[in-house]
Amino acid sequence: MAIQDLFSLQGDVAIITGAGRGIGRAIAIAFAQAGASVVCAARTQADIDDTARQCRQSGGSALAVACDVSNEEDLAKLVKACVDEYGKISILVNNAGGAYPNDPLKTDAKTFNRDFNFNVTCALSLTQLCQPQLLANKGNVINITSAVARYAQAGFSSYGTAKAALTQLTKLLAADFAPNIRVNGVAPGTILTEALGQFLNEEIQEKMTALTPLKSLGHPDDIAAAALYLASPAARWVSGKIIEVDGGAESTTWPF
């Protein structure tokens, strides 16, 4: 197979959650550029409409479906919309997630469970719904976890626990679904997104950059490139693995 074909998604159909901005948007556009038809899912219709527009400008086909991943009816409608439009699902990217830093002594069970469900349970639920299509098409799942899953750092007991669980779920599902469905993950480090931007000023960004071995913060395209590899034929012999894309950081770059 020619090298360009190894990284082609021609003929694939991908669902990407959290595709309205940031990492999810970058993944959707990269997949479209690689030839996939993409279904962009997020809660805000205007955001995913814009992502889908950029995917089409990149030469791909795209559908925008408003979806709250914590709503099981929305997830079922998302899967149905994808199959109705494109006839199949061959790639699922569970990117929707996130949580604010927290004080463990002030975090009640409701908040902790909400963060866990948003980052872990929703990914499992959508994977279950997509499994028949993924099996029929020998597809693959990519979970976007986080470097926080492996760092020991103050202030992230809720988010870090959830992402560590998603990391382990990725490995366990890879064992459950082998040999016909591959399941992998990407663990981003400090990525310049709107979500991070609310915490940044020039001084904080300089501190985070200094704590990163490669002396720069990441961009959404860095994560999209790793996801494209895992989704493509180039990774046909890769399952149950997490690609760490973090500028070489082996401990937290959070400067607070």
Side-chain angles (χ1 to χ4, degrees):
M1 184 178 291
I3 191 67
Q4 61 267 30
D5 294 330
L6 282 176
F7 294 91
S8 172
L9 299 183
Q10 196 69 43
D12 280 309
V13 177
I15 291 177
I16 300 146
T17 65
R21 58 184 66 185
I23 289 171
R25 172 174 286 182
I27 292 172
I29 294 170
F31 281 17
Q33 290 174 340
S37 298
V38 296
V39 177
C40 308
R43 286 175 288 190
T44 304
Q45 187 72 50
D47 287 344
I48 51 175
D49 283 342
D50 191 38
T51 299
R53 178 186 58 79
Q54 293 186 53
C55 289
R56 295 185 195 108
Q57 287 179 341
S58 298
S61 177
L63 179 69
V65 179
C67 176
D68 179 350
V69 295
S70 64
N71 184 310
E72 291 190 1
E73 289 185 3
D74 276 10
L75 293 180
K77 289 177 182 177
L78 172 63
V79 172
K80 184 178 186 303
C82 181
V83 175
D84 286 349
E85 181 73 14
Y86 294 118
K88 69 175 186 178
I89 304 166
S90 55
I91 302 167
L92 169 63
V93 181
N94 287 307
N95 170 69
Y100 285 104
N102 70 299
D103 180 341
L105 298 181
K106 297 179 180 178
T107 302
D108 59 24
K110 181 179 179 180
T111 301
F112 190 84
N113 288 333
R114 179 201 66 197
D115 291 347
F116 189 93
N117 288 337
F118 184 36
N119 288 279
V120 186
T121 310
C122 295
L124 175 61
S125 295
L126 185 53
T127 302
Q128 290 171 330
L129 289 170
C130 290
Q131 189 271 346
Q133 282 289 325
L134 295 170
L135 180 63
N137 293 288
K138 293 194 173 181
N140 66 90
V141 179
I142 301 166
N143 293 323
I144 307 301
T145 176
S146 174
V148 176
R150 72 180 197 278
Y151 295 163
Q153 63 184 99
F156 286 88
S157 57
S158 186
Y159 182 60
T161 297
K163 287 302 190 182
L166 182 61
T167 293
Q168 185 65 7
L169 178 66
T170 300
K171 298 175 182 179
L172 295 172
L173 290 182
D176 285 327
F177 293 166
N180 292 315
I181 301 173
R182 297 185 298 108
V183 186
N184 292 292
V186 181
T190 307
I191 307 296
L192 288 168
T193 62
E194 291 181 27
L196 177 63
Q198 62 189 304
F199 299 104
L200 293 184
N201 57 36
E202 185 175 350
E203 179 185 3
I204 292 170
Q205 186 167 335
E206 287 178 353
K207 288 180 179 179
M208 297 179 89
T209 300
L211 290 168
T212 304
L214 292 185
K215 302 306 177 191
S216 67
L217 302 187
H219 295 275
D221 285 346
D222 296 316
I223 308 306
L228 174 59
Y229 163 68
L230 290 174
S232 74
R236 67 161 196 91
W237 209 49
V238 179
S239 194
K241 301 299 181 286
I242 308 296
I243 296 182
E244 298 169 359
V245 185
D246 51 26
E250 286 301 314
S251 60
T252 182
T253 61
W254 193 249
F256 300 103

